[in-house]
PDB file of all heavy atoms in Angstrom:
ATOM      1  N   ASP A1279      -9.051 -14.355  18.293  1.00 93.00           N
ATOM      2  CA  ASP A1279     -10.242 -13.989  17.541  1.00 93.00           C
ATOM      3  C   ASP A1279     -10.486 -12.477  17.454  1.00 93.00           C
ATOM      4  O   ASP A1279     -11.155 -11.944  16.670  1.00 93.00           O
ATOM      5  CB  ASP A1279     -11.443 -14.729  18.032  1.00 93.00           C
ATOM      6  CG  ASP A1279     -11.805 -14.404  19.514  1.00 93.00           C
ATOM      7  OD1 ASP A1279     -11.048 -13.763  20.196  1.00 93.00           O
ATOM      8  OD2 ASP A1279     -12.858 -14.794  19.967  1.00 93.00           O
ATOM      9  N   SER A1280      -9.760 -11.726  18.343  1.00 93.00           N
ATOM     10  CA  SER A1280      -9.871 -10.290  18.309  1.00 93.00           C
ATOM     11  C   SER A1280      -9.181  -9.707  16.967  1.00 93.00           C
ATOM     12  O   SER A1280      -9.445  -8.604  16.614  1.00 93.00           O
ATOM     13  CB  SER A1280      -9.306  -9.601  19.497  1.00 93.00           C
ATOM     14  OG  SER A1280      -7.880  -9.834  19.575  1.00 93.00           O
ATOM     15  N   ASP A1281      -8.371 -10.553  16.307  1.00 95.00           N
ATOM     16  CA  ASP A1281      -7.727 -10.134  15.059  1.00 95.00           C
ATOM     17  C   ASP A1281      -8.689 -10.334  13.838  1.00 95.00           C
ATOM     18  O   ASP A1281      -8.369  -9.886  12.782  1.00 95.00           O
ATOM     19  CB  ASP A1281      -6.456 -10.994  14.864  1.00 95.00           C
ATOM     20  CG  ASP A1281      -5.412 -10.781  15.977  1.00 95.00           C
ATOM     21  OD1 ASP A1281      -5.438  -9.670  16.508  1.00 95.00           O
ATOM     22  OD2 ASP A1281      -4.627 -11.693  16.149  1.00 95.00           O
ATOM     23  N   LEU A1282      -9.721 -11.094  14.088  1.00 96.00           N
ATOM     24  CA  LEU A1282     -10.657 -11.444  12.902  1.00 96.00           C
ATOM     25  C   LEU A1282     -11.162 -10.158  12.163  1.00 96.00           C
ATOM     26  O   LEU A1282     -11.244 -10.216  10.914  1.00 96.00           O
ATOM     27  CB  LEU A1282     -11.856 -12.291  13.348  1.00 96.00           C
ATOM     28  CG  LEU A1282     -12.706 -12.805  12.260  1.00 96.00           C
ATOM     29  CD1 LEU A1282     -11.900 -13.512  11.171  1.00 96.00           C
ATOM     30  CD2 LEU A1282     -13.808 -13.728  12.860  1.00 96.00           C
ATOM     31  N   PRO A1283     -11.647  -9.090  12.805  1.00 96.00           N
ATOM     32  CA  PRO A1283     -12.114  -7.967  11.990  1.00 96.00           C
ATOM     33  C   PRO A1283     -11.053  -7.456  10.996  1.00 96.00           C
ATOM     34  O   PRO A1283     -11.426  -7.074   9.877  1.00 96.00           O
ATOM     35  CB  PRO A1283     -12.460  -6.912  13.065  1.00 96.00           C
ATOM     36  CG  PRO A1283     -12.788  -7.665  14.293  1.00 96.00           C
ATOM     37  CD  PRO A1283     -11.841  -8.885  14.228  1.00 96.00           C
ATOM     38  N   ILE A1284      -9.760  -7.504  11.327  1.00 96.00           N
ATOM     39  CA  ILE A1284      -8.770  -7.017  10.396  1.00 96.00           C
ATOM     40  C   ILE A1284      -8.529  -8.127   9.433  1.00 96.00           C
ATOM     41  O   ILE A1284      -8.460  -7.854   8.180  1.00 96.00           O
ATOM     42  CB  ILE A1284      -7.393  -6.787  11.175  1.00 96.00           C
ATOM     43  CG1 ILE A1284      -7.580  -5.617  12.144  1.00 96.00           C
ATOM     44  CG2 ILE A1284      -6.256  -6.533  10.211  1.00 96.00           C
ATOM     45  CD1 ILE A1284      -7.977  -4.311  11.513  1.00 96.00           C
ATOM     46  N   MET A1285      -8.386  -9.382   9.839  1.00 98.00           N
ATOM     47  CA  MET A1285      -8.092 -10.471   8.881  1.00 98.00           C
ATOM     48  C   MET A1285      -9.198 -10.752   7.953  1.00 98.00           C
ATOM     49  O   MET A1285      -9.039 -11.391   6.870  1.00 98.00           O
ATOM     50  CB  MET A1285      -7.683 -11.663   9.651  1.00 98.00           C
ATOM     51  CG  MET A1285      -6.456 -11.564  10.601  1.00 98.00           C
ATOM     52  SD  MET A1285      -5.044 -10.966   9.688  1.00 98.00           S
ATOM     53  CE  MET A1285      -4.599 -12.387   8.808  1.00 98.00           C
ATOM     54  N   GLN A1286     -10.467 -10.307   8.272  1.00 98.00           N
ATOM     55  CA  GLN A1286     -11.603 -10.546   7.424  1.00 98.00           C
ATOM     56  C   GLN A1286     -11.345  -9.880   6.024  1.00 98.00           C
ATOM     57  O   GLN A1286     -11.894 -10.386   4.983  1.00 98.00           O
ATOM     58  CB  GLN A1286     -12.859  -9.879   7.981  1.00 98.00           C
ATOM     59  CG  GLN A1286     -14.154 -10.227   7.245  1.00 98.00           C
ATOM     60  CD  GLN A1286     -14.454 -11.694   7.229  1.00 98.00           C
ATOM     61  OE1 GLN A1286     -14.430 -12.347   8.296  1.00 98.00           O
ATOM     62  NE2 GLN A1286     -14.789 -12.176   6.074  1.00 98.00           N
ATOM     63  N   GLU A1287     -10.541  -8.854   5.959  1.00 98.00           N
ATOM     64  CA  GLU A1287     -10.260  -8.202   4.681  1.00 98.00           C
ATOM     65  C   GLU A1287      -9.500  -9.174   3.711  1.00 98.00           C
ATOM     66  O   GLU A1287      -9.761  -9.185   2.464  1.00 98.00           O
ATOM     67  CB  GLU A1287      -9.484  -6.886   4.851  1.00 98.00           C
ATOM     68  CG  GLU A1287     -10.302  -5.845   5.487  1.00 98.00           C
ATOM     69  CD  GLU A1287      -9.581  -4.495   5.630  1.00 98.00           C
ATOM     70  OE1 GLU A1287      -8.443  -4.400   4.990  1.00 98.00           O
ATOM     71  OE2 GLU A1287     -10.049  -3.605   6.275  1.00 98.00           O
ATOM     72  N   ALA A1288      -8.607  -9.959   4.251  1.00 98.00           N
ATOM     73  CA  ALA A1288      -7.901 -10.964   3.468  1.00 98.00           C
ATOM     74  C   ALA A1288      -8.871 -12.040   2.971  1.00 98.00           C
ATOM     75  O   ALA A1288      -8.868 -12.541   1.844  1.00 98.00           O
ATOM     76  CB  ALA A1288      -6.743 -11.579   4.188  1.00 98.00           C
ATOM     77  N   ILE A1289      -9.733 -12.488   4.008  1.00 98.00           N
ATOM     78  CA  ILE A1289     -10.749 -13.437   3.649  1.00 98.00           C
ATOM     79  C   ILE A1289     -11.594 -13.007   2.518  1.00 98.00           C
ATOM     80  O   ILE A1289     -11.880 -13.758   1.553  1.00 98.00           O
ATOM     81  CB  ILE A1289     -11.546 -13.822   4.888  1.00 98.00           C
ATOM     82  CG1 ILE A1289     -10.710 -14.455   5.964  1.00 98.00           C
ATOM     83  CG2 ILE A1289     -12.797 -14.649   4.549  1.00 98.00           C
ATOM     84  CD1 ILE A1289     -11.347 -14.530   7.370  1.00 98.00           C
ATOM     85  N   ASP A1290     -12.101 -11.834   2.604  1.00 98.00           N
ATOM     86  CA  ASP A1290     -12.993 -11.231   1.556  1.00 98.00           C
ATOM     87  C   ASP A1290     -12.393 -11.178   0.159  1.00 98.00           C
ATOM     88  O   ASP A1290     -12.931 -11.567  -0.835  1.00 98.00           O
ATOM     89  CB  ASP A1290     -13.486  -9.839   1.960  1.00 98.00           C
ATOM     90  CG  ASP A1290     -14.391  -9.860   3.182  1.00 98.00           C
ATOM     91  OD1 ASP A1290     -14.857 -10.986   3.603  1.00 98.00           O
ATOM     92  OD2 ASP A1290     -14.600  -8.799   3.781  1.00 98.00           O
ATOM     93  N   ILE A1291     -11.105 -10.711   0.160  1.00 98.00           N
ATOM     94  CA  ILE A1291     -10.358 -10.618  -1.142  1.00 98.00           C
ATOM     95  C   ILE A1291     -10.247 -12.081  -1.765  1.00 98.00           C
ATOM     96  O   ILE A1291     -10.490 -12.204  -2.944  1.00 98.00           O
ATOM     97  CB  ILE A1291      -8.987 -10.055  -0.981  1.00 98.00           C
ATOM     98  CG1 ILE A1291      -9.079  -8.518  -0.764  1.00 98.00           C
ATOM     99  CG2 ILE A1291      -8.040 -10.375  -2.117  1.00 98.00           C
ATOM    100  CD1 ILE A1291      -9.389  -7.737  -2.037  1.00 98.00           C
ATOM    101  N   LEU A1292      -9.776 -13.006  -0.974  1.00 98.00           N
ATOM    102  CA  LEU A1292      -9.572 -14.320  -1.540  1.00 98.00           C
ATOM    103  C   LEU A1292     -10.816 -15.004  -1.913  1.00 98.00           C
ATOM    104  O   LEU A1292     -10.954 -15.709  -2.921  1.00 98.00           O
ATOM    105  CB  LEU A1292      -8.750 -15.162  -0.530  1.00 98.00           C
ATOM    106  CG  LEU A1292      -7.356 -14.656  -0.311  1.00 98.00           C
ATOM    107  CD1 LEU A1292      -6.732 -15.229   0.948  1.00 98.00           C
ATOM    108  CD2 LEU A1292      -6.460 -14.917  -1.553  1.00 98.00           C
ATOM    109  N   GLU A1293     -11.902 -14.898  -1.096  1.00 98.00           N
ATOM    110  CA  GLU A1293     -13.219 -15.456  -1.443  1.00 98.00           C
ATOM    111  C   GLU A1293     -13.659 -14.769  -2.760  1.00 98.00           C
ATOM    112  O   GLU A1293     -14.310 -15.492  -3.567  1.00 98.00           O
ATOM    113  CB  GLU A1293     -14.224 -15.282  -0.302  1.00 98.00           C
ATOM    114  CG  GLU A1293     -13.917 -16.265   0.818  1.00 98.00           C
ATOM    115  CD  GLU A1293     -14.896 -16.117   1.980  1.00 98.00           C
ATOM    116  OE1 GLU A1293     -15.573 -15.080   2.062  1.00 98.00           O
ATOM    117  OE2 GLU A1293     -15.044 -17.111   2.712  1.00 98.00           O
ATOM    118  N   GLY A1294     -13.482 -13.506  -2.940  1.00 96.00           N
ATOM    119  CA  GLY A1294     -13.953 -12.802  -4.057  1.00 96.00           C
ATOM    120  C   GLY A1294     -13.216 -13.267  -5.357  1.00 96.00           C
ATOM    121  O   GLY A1294     -13.720 -13.092  -6.473  1.00 96.00           O
ATOM    122  N   MET A1295     -12.046 -13.886  -5.185  1.00 96.00           N
ATOM    123  CA  MET A1295     -11.305 -14.473  -6.378  1.00 96.00           C
ATOM    124  C   MET A1295     -11.506 -15.943  -6.408  1.00 96.00           C
ATOM    125  O   MET A1295     -10.738 -16.580  -7.176  1.00 96.00           O
ATOM    126  CB  MET A1295      -9.856 -14.105  -6.215  1.00 96.00           C
ATOM    127  CG  MET A1295      -9.669 -12.578  -6.305  1.00 96.00           C
ATOM    128  SD  MET A1295      -7.886 -12.186  -6.541  1.00 96.00           S
ATOM    129  CE  MET A1295      -7.964 -10.368  -6.460  1.00 96.00           C
ATOM    130  N   ASP A1296     -12.434 -16.490  -5.644  1.00 97.00           N
ATOM    131  CA  ASP A1296     -12.737 -17.905  -5.611  1.00 97.00           C
ATOM    132  C   ASP A1296     -11.512 -18.800  -5.294  1.00 97.00           C
ATOM    133  O   ASP A1296     -11.334 -19.875  -5.851  1.00 97.00           O
ATOM    134  CB  ASP A1296     -13.315 -18.346  -6.955  1.00 97.00           C
ATOM    135  CG  ASP A1296     -14.659 -17.712  -7.288  1.00 97.00           C
ATOM    136  OD1 ASP A1296     -15.445 -17.543  -6.384  1.00 97.00           O
ATOM    137  OD2 ASP A1296     -14.831 -17.249  -8.436  1.00 97.00           O
ATOM    138  N   ILE A1297     -10.695 -18.229  -4.364  1.00 98.00           N
ATOM    139  CA  ILE A1297      -9.545 -19.038  -3.867  1.00 98.00           C
ATOM    140  C   ILE A1297      -9.939 -19.688  -2.556  1.00 98.00           C
ATOM    141  O   ILE A1297     -10.406 -19.039  -1.730  1.00 98.00           O
ATOM    142  CB  ILE A1297      -8.325 -18.140  -3.705  1.00 98.00           C
ATOM    143  CG1 ILE A1297      -7.829 -17.550  -5.058  1.00 98.00           C
ATOM    144  CG2 ILE A1297      -7.143 -18.864  -3.011  1.00 98.00           C
ATOM    145  CD1 ILE A1297      -6.759 -16.482  -4.914  1.00 98.00           C
ATOM    146  N   GLN A1298      -9.760 -20.934  -2.519  1.00 97.00           N
ATOM    147  CA  GLN A1298     -10.152 -21.764  -1.241  1.00 97.00           C
ATOM    148  C   GLN A1298      -9.285 -21.268  -0.098  1.00 97.00           C
ATOM    149  O   GLN A1298      -8.055 -21.048  -0.253  1.00 97.00           O
ATOM    150  CB  GLN A1298      -9.981 -23.210  -1.547  1.00 97.00           C
ATOM    151  CG  GLN A1298     -10.527 -24.047  -0.396  1.00 97.00           C
ATOM    152  CD  GLN A1298     -10.344 -25.551  -0.751  1.00 97.00           C
ATOM    153  OE1 GLN A1298      -9.904 -25.984  -1.756  1.00 97.00           O
ATOM    154  NE2 GLN A1298     -10.819 -26.376   0.264  1.00 97.00           N
ATOM    155  N   ILE A1299      -9.932 -21.103   1.049  1.00 98.00           N
ATOM    156  CA  ILE A1299      -9.198 -20.683   2.227  1.00 98.00           C
ATOM    157  C   ILE A1299      -9.474 -21.615   3.397  1.00 98.00           C
ATOM    158  O   ILE A1299     -10.443 -22.357   3.412  1.00 98.00           O
ATOM    159  CB  ILE A1299      -9.563 -19.252   2.649  1.00 98.00           C
ATOM    160  CG1 ILE A1299     -10.951 -19.118   2.973  1.00 98.00           C
ATOM    161  CG2 ILE A1299      -9.102 -18.233   1.594  1.00 98.00           C
ATOM    162  CD1 ILE A1299     -11.361 -17.779   3.596  1.00 98.00           C
ATOM    163  N   GLU A1300      -8.536 -21.612   4.385  1.00 97.00           N
ATOM    164  CA  GLU A1300      -8.737 -22.262   5.605  1.00 97.00           C
ATOM    165  C   GLU A1300      -8.431 -21.222   6.653  1.00 97.00           C
ATOM    166  O   GLU A1300      -7.393 -20.585   6.601  1.00 97.00           O
ATOM    167  CB  GLU A1300      -7.707 -23.433   5.678  1.00 97.00           C
ATOM    168  CG  GLU A1300      -7.638 -24.115   7.073  1.00 97.00           C
ATOM    169  CD  GLU A1300      -6.504 -25.166   7.085  1.00 97.00           C
ATOM    170  OE1 GLU A1300      -6.806 -26.258   6.578  1.00 97.00           O
ATOM    171  OE2 GLU A1300      -5.469 -24.815   7.515  1.00 97.00           O
ATOM    172  N   VAL A1301      -9.308 -20.999   7.612  1.00 98.00           N
ATOM    173  CA  VAL A1301      -9.073 -19.930   8.626  1.00 98.00           C
ATOM    174  C   VAL A1301      -9.097 -20.593   9.970  1.00 98.00           C
ATOM    175  O   VAL A1301      -9.891 -21.455  10.331  1.00 98.00           O
ATOM    176  CB  VAL A1301     -10.269 -18.928   8.585  1.00 98.00           C
ATOM    177  CG1 VAL A1301     -10.015 -17.807   9.636  1.00 98.00           C
ATOM    178  CG2 VAL A1301     -10.351 -18.293   7.200  1.00 98.00           C
ATOM    179  N   ASP A1302      -8.165 -20.166  10.857  1.00 98.00           N
ATOM    180  CA  ASP A1302      -7.951 -20.700  12.199  1.00 98.00           C
ATOM    181  C   ASP A1302      -7.263 -19.761  13.090  1.00 98.00           C
ATOM    182  O   ASP A1302      -6.643 -18.829  12.694  1.00 98.00           O
ATOM    183  CB  ASP A1302      -7.214 -22.087  12.092  1.00 98.00           C
ATOM    184  CG  ASP A1302      -7.473 -23.029  13.304  1.00 98.00           C
ATOM    185  OD1 ASP A1302      -8.268 -22.566  14.229  1.00 98.00           O
ATOM    186  OD2 ASP A1302      -6.975 -24.119  13.279  1.00 98.00           O
TER     187      ASP A1302
END
């Protein structure tokens, strides 16, 4: 979970393009 602040950038890009994601 310490990687989440970095990985959040991928989450934000994909959510901004309305692409469904699964995060774990």
Side-chain angles (χ1 to χ4, degrees):
D1279 61 350
S1280 65
D1281 299 332
L1282 184 57
I1284 297 299
M1285 300 305 288
Q1286 186 66 47
E1287 293 184 7
I1289 293 167
D1290 293 344
I1291 284 288
L1292 293 165
E1293 285 180 340
M1295 294 190 187
D1296 298 318
I1297 296 172
Q1298 187 178 1
I1299 60 170
E1300 171 185 279
V1301 181
D1302 202 356

